[in-house]
Amino acid sequence: GDIIRNMVARLADRLKENGSDVEGWQRLLRAYLVLGEREKAISAADAAKRALANDADKLRRIEDTIKSLGLEG
C-alpha cells in the first residue's frame, strides 16, 4: 500500500543524496520488484551502478544483486 510506497520514495531520495549505501540500493531494487515496478527497478539499477562506479567492491555487490533479481538490461 501507500505506506510501503512512501518508505520506498524516502529511500530513493536518500540514495540520491548518498549513493554509496549499497545495502540501501539492494533494498530499493527489491522493494520496486515487490511493488511490481519493474521499470523503476531497472532505472534504479542503472543509477546504483553509476553511483557505486568508484568502489569496485560495492559495484560488484550491486551487480550480483542485479543479476540475482534478473534486472539486467
Side-chain angles (χ1 to χ4, degrees):
D2 287 342
I3 294 171
I4 293 173
R5 282 180 195 281
N6 289 340
M7 276 171 32
V8 171
R10 278 204 302 278
L11 179 58
D13 285 343
R14 195 164 59 71
L15 289 165
K16 282 191 191 104
E17 312 266 309
N18 171 22
S20 67
D21 177 8
V22 68
E23 288 87 4
W25 285 114
Q26 290 167 330
R27 279 203 305 280
L28 185 64
L29 297 180
R30 291 192 188 98
Y32 279 143
L33 289 177
V34 167
L35 292 169
E37 301 268 16
R38 189 173 170 77
E39 292 302 312
K40 283 187 182 175
I42 291 168
S43 64
D46 289 339
K49 284 191 286 194
R50 284 196 303 275
L52 299 169
N54 296 327
D55 186 321
D57 179 58
K58 288 182 178 180
L59 183 62
R60 184 178 45 75
R61 285 165 63 197
I62 202 66
E63 285 177 337
D64 287 348
T65 301
I66 290 165
K67 275 198 195 80
S68 71
L69 295 174
L71 289 175
E72 288 157 304

